[in-house]
Amino acid sequence: MSTSAPITQDVMTIPRKLPEGGKINLVGLTRDQLREVLIENGTKEKQAKMRVGQIWQWIYQWGVRDFHEMTNLSKAYRAELDEKFEVAIPEVVTRQVSEDGTRKYLVRIAGGHEVEVVYIPEEDRGTLCISSQVGCTLTCTFCHTGTQKLVRNLTAAEIIGQVMVARDDLNEWPIPGEPKNETRLLSNIVLMGMGEPLYNFDNVRDAMKIAMDPEGISLSRRRITLSTSGVVPEIARTAEEIGCLLAISFHATTDDVRDVLVPINKRWKIDELLQALSDYPKVSNSERITFEYVMLDGVNDTDEDAHRLIDHIKRYNIPAKINLIPFNEWPGAPYKRSSNNRIRAFANIIYQAGYASPIRKTRGEDIMAACGQLKSATERARKSRKQIEAEAGLS
Ligand code: SAH
Ligand code: SF4
């Protein structure tokens, strides 16, 4: 088992106002920040609130990137905006479409880094899985992203920009004057891509506030799910400041096993985590918490584990649904997926105890778009197989 401290928050974010090519990007700014930069750059204070509303709507409601198309602003003002600002989102490097319709985008962000974004169409919804960091400072031993050494926090612009990239590709920006589509192709967001969202709290919060803003992308907070490995002190803040649904990467039922699978457990133990979770629904006024549980052959998948999992949830009286995730293998992974029979038996124990226990369907496997497989192929800074096995306690 690794003895090195697995937890560090010490990653940098490029300052959001850093002008690129001399222009300031307006994407990702909160309404207050947008007001501030407009005033700093010559917009009159008494007009600022109205201008914020107008520009906001062009960017987030209609998907317009060119100031010259913002026709309810004067020509002179549009030209001024164009001189100083830009509406910039990540650049799509590759786009792959799976046999099952799942789409995976590799997008490039400042500094030449790349992150992956996955769109999963279903009958009644379309879910976009977005990333919050390049790589991840945590080192969960079953997760491909955790093997990537290089890490940087994404800016709010880069986080909301992933949603805008997908809306572009799905051709889903409404057309002014035409009725809006009733059923949205992109109806849900899950923060389940690369990175630990609660180690990039402010940027994730600001981006999700933009996604929820009724004058723009306007997704309900109940259609956004943030998945965390268990950054306990930030869970209450998530309830208060974001209010979205919460998923927790639980994955083990004893501290000994969770210490290895999800090493942040060494810092915040299972009981501390459960305590924080039990307060979440009340504070965020939301429904059930999703317990994510990856099924690893011979590691965490016994009947006793299933019973212990239920005991934990009951002991803290947490409204919960348990999402069983068949392990997605990746090159060099130190674990195997549990058999289908084992997964079904585990699910059944949970179901009998009165909890929903859906088994997550693997989507987009042919394009390596499944959970935990995300890692840009161009990312060279990776750990060796030996290092991975050492951390998993296998050598
Ligand atoms: N860092 C956050 C969110 C990103 S991971 C977190 O850990 O919650 C999104 C989900 O995919 C998590 O539940 C994670 O545990 C799971 N996951 C990671 N690697 C996986 C793999 N190889 N197979 C199946 N699920 C995996
Ligand atoms: Fe990071 Fe989540 Fe992967 Fe753990 S499971 S290494 S927290 S992305």
Side-chain angles (χ1 to χ4, degrees):
M1 202 188 300
S2 162
T3 48
S4 62
I7 299 129
T8 160
Q9 283 201 64
D10 192 17
V11 295
M12 63 159 192
T13 309
I14 291 196
R16 58 155 62 85
K17 279 198 238 164
L18 192 81
E20 254 177 56
K23 291 188 177 183
I24 298 169
N25 188 9
L26 297 186
V27 176
L29 302 184
T30 63
R31 281 174 179 268
D32 286 346
Q33 288 164 340
L34 180 56
R35 183 171 185 278
E36 229 174 87
V37 295
L38 290 179
I39 292 170
E40 272 169 24
N41 286 277
T43 300
K44 292 196 185 74
E45 245 189 279
K46 60 179 195 307
Q47 288 186 344
K49 191 170 176 222
M50 188 169 76
R51 297 287 173 250
V52 167
Q54 289 167 318
I55 295 168
W56 188 276
Q57 280 193 341
W58 283 114
I59 298 178
Y60 298 115
Q61 185 159 339
W62 311 116
V64 167
R65 313 269 150 80
D66 181 348
F67 293 109
H68 298 294
E69 287 174 32
M70 302 186 176
T71 47
N72 58 357
L73 304 172
S74 76
K75 274 204 167 141
Y77 189 61
R78 283 185 249 165
E80 259 175 58
L81 291 175
D82 188 48
E83 215 171 277
K84 292 173 179 144
F85 304 116
E86 62 179 356
V87 181
I89 61 171
E91 175 200 349
V92 178
V93 182
T94 58
R95 168 183 178 276
Q96 286 170 280
V97 182
S98 154
E99 283 167 0
D100 66 14
T102 302
R103 299 181 187 203
K104 182 167 90 167
Y105 313 97
L106 182 66
V107 301
R108 185 175 295 137
I109 57 170
H113 298 295
E114 289 166 349
V115 289
E116 288 173 329
V117 187
V118 179
Y119 172 73
I120 307 147
E122 285 171 282
E123 238 158 62
D124 57 341
R125 68 174 81 180
T127 304
L128 192 71
C129 178
I130 62 174
S131 296
S132 56
Q133 299 182 309
V134 178
C136 185
T137 51
L138 298 170
T139 50
C140 304
T141 43
F142 56 89
C143 174
H144 205 191
T145 309
T147 68
Q148 191 172 312
K149 270 185 177 164
L150 200 63
V151 177
R152 132 155 130 66
N153 276 340
L154 299 192
T155 63
E158 290 160 347
I159 297 168
I160 196 65
Q162 296 170 56
V163 180
M164 296 164 80
V165 160
R167 285 200 108 187
D168 283 358
D169 187 51
L170 297 166
N171 200 7
E172 206 182 23
W173 295 103
I175 305 197
E178 287 188 14
K180 280 191 206 163
N181 272 351
E182 285 303 315
T183 45
R184 290 223 205 163
L185 292 172
L186 198 172
S187 61
N188 294 61
I189 294 176
V190 294
L191 279 147
M192 293 186 186
M194 298 162 77
E196 170 48 59
L198 296 189
Y199 271 173
N200 187 13
F201 188 90
D202 291 0
N203 291 318
V204 165
R205 176 200 54 211
D206 290 353
M208 291 307 102
K209 288 271 184 209
I210 294 171
M212 292 187 268
D213 190 295
E215 275 186 287
I217 297 163
S218 102
L219 287 177
S220 145
R221 64 190 184 85
R222 292 198 165 79
R223 289 185 173 272
I224 299 176
T225 304
L226 183 151
S227 174
T228 178
S229 57
V231 186
V232 165
E234 305 289 4
I235 288 178
R237 272 183 87 198
T238 307
E240 285 156 18
E241 298 180 34
I242 309 178
C244 59
L245 302 185
L246 189 70
I248 178 80
S249 289
F250 207 68
H251 304 319
T253 60
T254 63
D255 281 320
D256 280 352
V257 177
R258 198 163 189 273
D259 280 352
V260 175
L261 297 182
V262 190
I264 199 175
N265 197 69
K266 293 181 198 164
R267 177 101 149 238
W268 294 290
K269 297 286 169 196
I270 287 178
D271 270 306
E272 257 178 289
L273 174 60
L274 289 165
Q275 183 60 54
L277 294 177
S278 69
D279 296 333
Y280 191 88
K282 200 168 66 244
V283 183
S284 67
N285 188 24
S286 67
E287 305 106 43
R288 293 177 298 178
I289 291 180
T290 302
F291 281 66
E292 299 169 279
Y293 199 93
V294 66
M295 298 296 293
L296 304 172
D297 184 32
V299 175
N300 63 354
D301 62 349
T302 62
D303 286 357
E304 291 71 50
D305 280 307
H307 290 295
R308 263 196 303 268
L309 180 58
I310 297 301
D311 286 347
H312 285 318
I313 293 170
K314 287 212 159 132
R315 191 153 32 91
Y316 284 87
N317 203 13
I318 301 172
K321 118 173 157 198
I322 293 109
N323 201 336
L324 299 179
I325 315 175
F327 174 57
N328 294 311
E329 296 188 11
W330 38 271
Y335 303 108
K336 293 253 165 304
R337 179 186 291 188
S338 307
S339 71
N340 288 343
N341 280 346
R342 184 84 298 268
I343 299 176
R344 272 196 294 271
F346 197 97
N348 198 36
I349 293 172
I350 294 166
Y351 179 74
Q352 297 296 335
Y355 294 89
S357 56
I359 300 168
R360 192 179 286 175
K361 261 204 290 195
T362 297
R363 299 287 305 260
E365 219 174 2
D366 51 333
I367 55 170
M368 282 289 281
C371 297
Q373 290 184 323
L374 301 186
K375 180 157 103 165
S376 39
T378 49
E379 182 55 70
R380 300 273 172 240
R382 57 187 58 178
K383 292 181 187 169
S384 67
R385 192 189 173 108
K386 231 170 112 199
Q387 219 174 333
I388 295 166
E389 286 178 355
E391 283 171 7
L394 299 179
S395 60

